[in-house]
Amino acid sequence: MKVPRNRLWTWFAATRVGKSIFRVGPPHSNLERSQVMVSSFLLHVQPAKVNRHSLRASYSFGLGLISLYLFFILCATGVLLMFYYVPSTTQAYDRMKDLQFVVSAGLVVRNMHRWAAHLMVAAVMLHMCRVFYTGAYKAPREFNWLLGVGLFLTTLGLSFTGYLLPWDQLAFWAITVGTNIAGYAPLVGSKLKFLMLGGNTVGQEALTRFYALHVIVLPAIAGLMVAVHVWRVRKDGGLSRPEESPDSVQSIALGELPTNKSYGLMELARGTTPQVGQDPDDEVFSWPHLVFRELLLFLIVVAFVLFLAVFWNAPLEELANPIHPPNPAKAPWYFLGLQELVSYSAFWGGVVVPALIVTALVVLPYMDRGRRGVGHWFARERRIANTVFSICVAIAVALTVVGTMFRGPNWGWVVPWRTPPPTLEGH
Amino acid sequence: MSPEPPAETVVSRRTFFQLSMGWIAGTFAAAATAMATVRFLVPNVVFEPAQQFKAGSPEDYPDGSITFLEDERVFLVRRGNSFRCLSAVCTHLGCTVSRADRGYHCPCHGSVFSPEGTVESGPAPKPLAWFLVTLSKDNRLLVDKNQFVGPDKYLIL
Amino acid sequence: MEGGSLQRFYGWFSFLCILVGVLAALGYYRDEYRPWKQYQRRFINEEMRRASGPEQRLQASRTPFEIRQILLPELNRVDRCTTCHLAVEDPSYGGYPQPLAYHPLHDEHPFDKFGCTICHRGQGRATTAEDAHGNVAHWDAPMLPLKYIEASCGQCHESADNPAAPRLSRGSELFETVGCRGCHKLGGVGGAIGPELDRVGTRRSPDWLRAHFLEPAAVTPGSGMPPQKFSEPDVEAIVLFMLSQTGTDLPGFYASMKVIPSAAQGRRLFQQKGCIGCHSLGGQGGKIGPSLDDVALRRKPEWIIQHFRDPQTVSPGTVMPRFGFTDAEARALTDFLLHQSDQKTPLSIPALMSPVDRGREVFRKYGCAGCHGPEGKGGVPNANAMTAQQVPALTYVADGYTKPEVKKLIVNGQHEIAALDPSRPLPPLYMPAWGSTIRDAEIDDLVAYLFSLKPKDEKTDF
């Protein structure tokens, strides 16, 4: 059927005002499709064309994007929550109750924030695993991997600082345990703990500091690192992908690229270039292929977080009571593996193992010189690396599961399906 | 620049339906989220002294007295068995007026008000407001700062 | 984009957008249409039905739907109970079903100064019935069952001799006479065998407390506390008194009425403050100030109250010190002085009593009866103790000990109690060291009392 073109939009886009805002209208030709990526502020971080392989959901599962979207959701809901929350030991808990009882949609927004936070920690971890298993940390992406490790630690920091803010028993004791683990570091441990808490105990000073870290310092750091991280993805040639079979292309190795040349629509990065005479089916325009998929994924993430938020409530226990620790006092789930280790040895479990993990992650791309197996999941050439990594992940998961389910009062063993739930004392 | 797109395009009915659905659904999602966000930001309770408050029982106020209630920023005026309540907030820029020998006087910019609250001199643009005074069910004076009345409206017991 | 995948995109896009919209609307709807709105609707309908004319009906119909709250910054709480309990101040709603019932209360406790949860407990900030009534997980202060409401009076007011809370007073009296202080500290005074009771009202529920009094070992395994033989009213009374121990810190206004202006509490105050040192009453007392026997005939009540507030203002040049009484205390003392003829029991004034009588007071004050039985008669079980599995009675202490030996025992205590059967656990009850708690002069009086316990006509056989 014939449908009149949107006259209003066309007229507006042709006016001076319209032309001053939208430099390129909705694209209808390949030229326009390329232009819109470069001309638009919101879209210019994307390449004009993207490799078809990168669009495969089964390759990356969109985990990096999911992490980013969860970050956006957390920022948006976080700002909304800031309109009602007060970081004071006498008021914080009451404000959380007000969010639940008095603020319209307050419970939903708080739930969204909490579930998005847990999901983001999980998504970031899964993203790290994906990058490892596809060898996407190898050259030229070593620095991007480092940025990723930094983002991982920042995410943990954001979750940890946010955990304290409700000022309930769960928050207070989780942070007490967490900062005690930090205090075990040799030489700097007690000073580090003093710096984190702004004192010797978890009190108003700690709450103020954690709030400042949580709402401005760590998000700013995360935002900056994300920007560089995404920019590096593009500069390193997009997502990692399998090497093309040698006979389909003539790869022209380029040395140092002259920096005074403008590249316009050509996607150039050191080491990979658009190949002359290459089969054009490998590359597709970002508008609409990449952008529309990104939009859909965003909607899926939002819908999922909303779904969790509407039907499951984030926990809020009793008001924080420094003289009445729950037994056992547990750290947030992503630190429970550490807490399990610490229960064996404070030094080895709380200091050495985390330090080793972070060091291993940081040096990994520089130690691994092999170039084979990039772009494939569980590539045979990387059997050893994959196996070692998988074992480490399995141990971490096992420790976390033990810490969550199999540890009870006094950090003793419990069998969760046989122990009756504890009766409330005095009731 | 590409050539002007044609004034009409040929699309299938199916595509038209999908496009419309897409726009409607998108608008619906955006609108629902925006409305919920705005409603979220509108406070349902305020942590201030309530606009309606009890000013004690009538016996607390001697005959002929003008009592300043500090937290509520009002004067409670009793003459005989009639009660009135005058706002102590200057209509110029919001300072709290004080009692003068006759009437009221604002210390910030010098507005002078008569005992009936009208402006005698100074920059105040409007007279002081009188609030509705009623008797609550448990025999207390109930002042409602949301309801303005004329200076000749008394609660007579 | 090929036609097919574009169509798939539009399909998914529309579906997801609708899903997001529906979920957002659902979340918002859940918060906008809270149950309290229905209760307010019910109230407005009732007000409209009762309206005496069309103008009142219109006025009632215009009542806005809103959350109502009572701000209590001094008590650090916000009570939103009146969001549903809309007619608490309207006597004409007496007898209506909750939540629209009228709440009769003492004139001295206006809602806007006290709110609801300070007496009834519960979760004041909540706006749903179940959460507000507090019987939910992670809320330590559920609403008190109505029969225990007198416990809340004890948070602000003196429990003993409380004319408005007779069951609470009984509980306070029981606490002293049964001798709970012998093992439990309250207000810093008492033994250290059992836990301190200053906040027991917030830690334990009424049911737990009741079970604990009747059979302590059933709720606290290994407890040495002997089961208490209370009658049913007495169990309720002592539970009430325990519930009143919440350790709440009260700011100025609320603490000013600790003493209730009543003759009974005025009498307590009179005994505590040592007025008898200067004034005589009932033939006893000092001669520095005038006798108070007929003060009712000589002075008006307002004069007496002002005299308590500041003696110099009504009696210039007087040597009576300014005690700094609160208004309530002044009124209580005045009430007592004006109604002396109503007093049935004589005043107990330490300076005028014999050492034995004073010792009896000390015995009572520090709860010795809790372990040694009323008047030291014994009968309190102490599992596996060599002394016939009981705490020894004190009736014959004069026969077995010298006065210095008894005094030493009281001061130093005896931590190790000999066990009857070494293979079983040690006896749970022991003698605490009272030297740091009981003053020296008091101990002498106590010893005198103990030595007086032996029945007079018995002779020592050995």
Side-chain angles (χ1 to χ4, degrees), chain B residues 12 14-15 18-30 32-33 35-36 39-40 44-50 52-56 132 136-140 147, chain C residues 6-8 10-11 13-22 24-25 28 32 37 47 50 59 66-69 71 78 80 89-93 102 107 110-112 125:
Chain B
S12 70
R14 192 168 173 196
T15 312
Q18 282 168 339
L19 264 171
S20 329
M21 268 310 288
W23 276 102
I24 292 171
T27 315
F28 171 56
T33 315
M35 270 174 43
R39 186 64 188 89
F40 173 91
N44 289 321
V45 295
V46 291
F47 295 97
E48 302 157 357
Q52 289 166 334
F53 63 94
K54 294 222 183 107
L132 179 67
S136 75
K137 296 276 171 35
D138 53 342
N139 289 322
R140 298 270 188 286
Q147 304 216 43
Chain C
L6 183 65
Q7 281 174 350
R8 275 211 322 277
Y10 276 121
F13 179 79
S14 305
F15 168 70
L16 285 169
C17 278
I18 292 177
L19 185 61
V20 167
V22 164
Y28 169 73
E32 263 309 274
K37 289 199 174 177
E47 286 281 285
R50 287 146 60 109
Q59 186 85 304
E66 59 186 359
I67 294 178
R68 293 156 196 245
Q69 60 181 23
L71 280 179
V78 172
R80 301 189 171 119
E89 295 174 305
D90 189 344
S92 66
Y93 276 86
Y102 167 63
D107 266 344
F111 284 112
D112 51 354
R125 286 187 111 98

Side-chain angles (χ1 to χ4, degrees), chain A residues 25-318:
Chain A
H28 301 289
S29 68
N30 279 351
L31 178 62
E32 284 182 357
R33 287 191 189 99
S34 312
Q35 275 181 326
V36 76
M37 306 308 291
V38 182
S39 305
S40 155
F41 169 74
L42 290 175
L43 298 175
H44 82 284
V45 73
Q46 323 248 33
K49 282 181 139 191
V50 67
N51 191 297
R52 200 179 274 279
H53 182 270
S54 305
L55 295 177
R56 276 207 217 146
S58 57
Y59 179 68
S60 66
F61 297 99
L63 284 165
L65 275 177
I66 291 176
S67 308
L68 182 65
Y69 295 148
L70 287 169
F71 184 66
F72 288 154
I73 292 174
L74 283 166
C75 287
T77 53
V79 166
L80 287 178
L81 289 171
M82 280 175 79
F83 275 79
Y84 288 105
Y85 174 79
V86 175
S88 144
T89 54
T90 48
Q91 292 192 61
Y93 184 73
D94 286 336
R95 292 307 183 120
M96 299 302 294
K97 287 284 182 184
D98 281 350
L99 275 169
Q100 180 183 355
F101 290 119
V102 154
V103 176
S104 296
L107 190 58
V108 170
V109 173
R110 192 225 159 181
N111 289 343
M112 279 181 77
H113 197 77
R114 186 97 176 190
W115 298 137
H118 285 310
L119 285 173
M120 185 174 169
V121 175
V124 162
M125 288 182 175
L126 289 172
H127 178 61
M128 183 172 77
C129 292
R130 191 284 290 169
V131 171
F132 184 93
Y133 284 126
T134 53
Y137 58 84
K138 295 175 190 271
R141 298 185 174 84
E142 304 98 323
F143 184 65
N144 213 12
W145 169 267
L146 288 190
L147 286 171
V149 173
L151 278 169
F152 172 58
L153 295 173
T154 312
T155 306
L156 287 182
L158 275 167
S159 192
F160 188 64
T161 49
Y163 214 81
L164 179 65
L165 301 184
W167 202 252
D168 67 343
Q169 282 284 71
L170 191 64
F172 183 87
W173 293 103
I175 266 54
T176 304
V177 168
T179 48
N180 278 337
I181 293 179
Y184 286 129
L187 294 174
V188 296
S190 56
K191 290 201 180 61
L192 180 65
K193 185 176 159 193
F194 188 77
L195 188 65
M196 282 169 77
L197 295 180
N200 296 307
T201 54
V202 179
Q204 178 60 60
E205 290 306 309
L207 188 56
T208 312
R209 289 189 174 216
F210 274 46
Y211 187 67
L213 283 170
H214 187 74
V215 305
I216 190 67
V217 175
L218 290 174
I221 292 175
L224 279 173
M225 289 178 87
V226 162
V228 182
H229 190 70
V230 171
W231 183 77
R232 278 303 300 246
V233 167
R234 192 162 148 203
K235 288 301 171 194
D236 293 338
L239 293 189
S240 59
R241 56 185 170 275
E243 288 171 11
E244 293 77 15
S245 50
D247 47 61
S248 75
V249 284
Q250 284 172 296
S251 80
I252 306 168
L254 288 184
E256 287 300 315
L257 296 165
T259 51
N260 57 352
K261 190 176 172 182
S262 65
Y263 298 108
L265 301 173
M266 305 281 274
E267 174 61 13
L268 293 175
R270 187 151 32 126
T272 60
T273 67
Q275 310 305 329
V276 176
Q278 182 190 354
D279 191 339
D281 279 345
D282 276 0
E283 300 235 327
V284 294
F285 279 102
S286 297
W287 184 292
H289 293 88
L290 178 61
V291 175
F292 283 16
R293 279 184 173 79
E294 288 176 336
L295 182 59
L296 277 186
L297 185 60
F298 177 67
L299 286 172
I300 291 173
V301 171
V302 170
F304 186 61
V305 173
L306 252 182
F307 174 71
L308 291 178
V310 167
F311 292 106
W312 285 277
N313 289 339
L316 187 67
E317 299 191 351
E318 296 88 345

